[in-house]
Amino acid sequence: MRLLRSTDLALRVLMRLAVAEADETPEATPTTREVAAAMGVPYTHAAKVVAELQHLGLLEARRGRGGGLALTEKGRTASVGGLVRAFEGDGDVVDCEGATPCPLNSACRLRGALRRAQEAFFASLDPITVADIVREPTGPLLLGITGRPA
């Protein structure tokens, strides 16, 4: 299974904010533009992901001087599986009823097997929280890689 780029970016943004929290400097609340630059992604892509994360209640985005992005308590304890489900959707792995429907659709066992595998993938991520994925040694390494704005 391959994750959407937006799912990957959402996870990385939450991880970056989770490690930034421990930092007491002003850079602890980076802006969307700073996060996009540090992660090497277009600002517009990061802004869409940040807006969705804000909509889900996982981060706060404050404008103006002293503003920036901050993780909420819900964001710290969010299930990685739940986040992946929210960004990936709950659609089937394969599109059996698309523009050219599969002729095996009425008697196919593959679709059910892929659906079970997809759910097993999500279920394996459910007990893992954002806080879990930034524990030592990941957190300090992530902060070092993304750096701090000048």
Side-chain angles (χ1 to χ4, degrees):
M1 182 171 178
R2 185 179 183 102
L3 296 179
L4 298 172
R5 290 183 68 188
S6 58
T7 306
D8 174 49
L9 182 56
L11 289 165
R12 290 190 290 142
V13 166
L14 291 176
M15 290 172 70
R16 175 64 176 89
L17 294 178
V19 297
E21 269 186 350
D23 196 0
E24 297 297 324
T25 64
E27 292 85 9
T29 55
T31 65
T32 303
R33 195 166 301 281
E34 290 166 345
V35 169
M39 294 186 183
V41 298
Y43 168 76
T44 53
H45 193 106
K48 288 178 187 177
V49 168
V50 164
E52 182 60 22
L53 291 170
Q54 187 176 14
H55 175 75
L56 293 169
L58 303 176
L59 63 78
E60 293 176 345
R62 293 181 300 276
R63 293 179 181 259
R65 188 171 189 184
L69 305 175
L71 205 56
T72 64
E73 181 59 33
K74 183 178 177 182
R76 269 185 291 290
T77 60
S79 160
V80 173
L83 179 72
V84 172
R85 277 187 189 90
F87 273 81
E88 295 290 317
D90 59 359
D92 287 326
V93 176
V94 293
D95 185 12
C96 300
E97 299 164 7
T100 308
C102 177
L104 300 175
N105 199 11
S106 63
C108 183
R109 294 172 157 247
L110 178 60
R111 185 178 190 178
L114 291 173
R115 179 53 129 159
R116 287 188 299 279
Q118 179 183 32
E119 187 49 43
F121 172 74
F122 290 145
S124 70
L125 296 173
D126 283 341
I128 303 167
T129 67
V130 171
D132 292 335
I133 59 177
V134 295
R135 286 199 177 108
E136 293 274 345
T138 305
L141 182 62
L142 178 63
L143 199 52
I145 291 171
T146 58
R148 293 189 171 98

